């Protein structure tokens, strides 16, 4: 069974070098992990959400460790050029519902992604590019 995204980042964070961190990411590669990393660091991905933390109730953290894996398929609802949503209010409500359904640590990662920040301490753009260079445009 796949680890939760936050669990993969915790494992990577414990490594000393960027190369070792990148190896942990590659070894635990999933669609959701790559989607989060690309959302954080790809310069052309623009989120259609306010840059503030929305009001939401954290999930209790029990049996939701891997829920982000299924929700990652819905990220296109929140980006420019993605699937259309009837109204901006509806888009924001769907985002809040997702945050409330995933592990609290994954919710922090998703909020960092939307705000184009490092998803987790120690997971930088350099580490992401080492792990998954195909996710980023040529510079």
């Amino acid at each position: 069974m796949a680890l939760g995204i936050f669990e993969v980042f915790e494992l990577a964070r414990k490594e000393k070098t960027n190369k070792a961190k990148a190896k942990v990411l590659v070894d635990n590669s999933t669609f959701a992990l790559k989607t989060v990393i690309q959302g954080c660091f790809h310069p052309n991905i623009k989120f259609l959400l306010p840059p503030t933390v929305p009001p939401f109730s954290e999930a209790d953290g029990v049996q939701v460790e891997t829920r982000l894996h299924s929700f990652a398929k819905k990220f296109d609802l929140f980006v420019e050029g993605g699937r259309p949503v009837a109204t901006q209010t509806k888009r924001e409500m769907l985002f809040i519902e997702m945050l409330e359904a995933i592990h609290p640590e994954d919710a922090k990662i998703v909020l960092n992604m939307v705000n184009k920040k490092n998803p987790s301490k120690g997971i930088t753009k350099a580490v992401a590019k080492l792990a998954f260079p195909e996710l980023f445009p040529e510079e």
Side-chain angles (χ1 to χ4, degrees), residues 43-117:
N44 298 334
I45 296 175
K46 309 254 187 285
F47 287 92
L48 301 172
L49 295 164
T52 57
V53 176
F56 73 100
S57 302
E58 288 186 351
D60 65 7
V62 178
Q63 297 184 344
V64 295
E65 291 86 358
T66 60
R67 252 197 214 146
L68 185 54
H69 289 283
S70 59
F71 277 103
K73 293 179 230 135
K74 296 182 179 182
F75 284 162
D76 65 333
L77 294 168
F78 311 120
V79 296
E80 197 174 87
R83 277 188 287 167
V85 178
T87 66
Q88 180 63 19
T89 301
K90 177 70 174 167
R91 177 179 287 116
E92 292 173 22
M93 290 305 300
L94 290 168
F95 185 66
I96 289 169
E97 288 171 12
M98 180 185 64
L99 291 175
E100 290 180 339
I102 62 178
H103 193 280
E105 292 302 314
D106 278 339
K108 290 176 190 171
I109 289 166
V110 169
L111 288 166
N112 284 344
M113 176 185 71
V114 167
N115 291 304
K116 301 301 246 182
K117 296 179 180 175

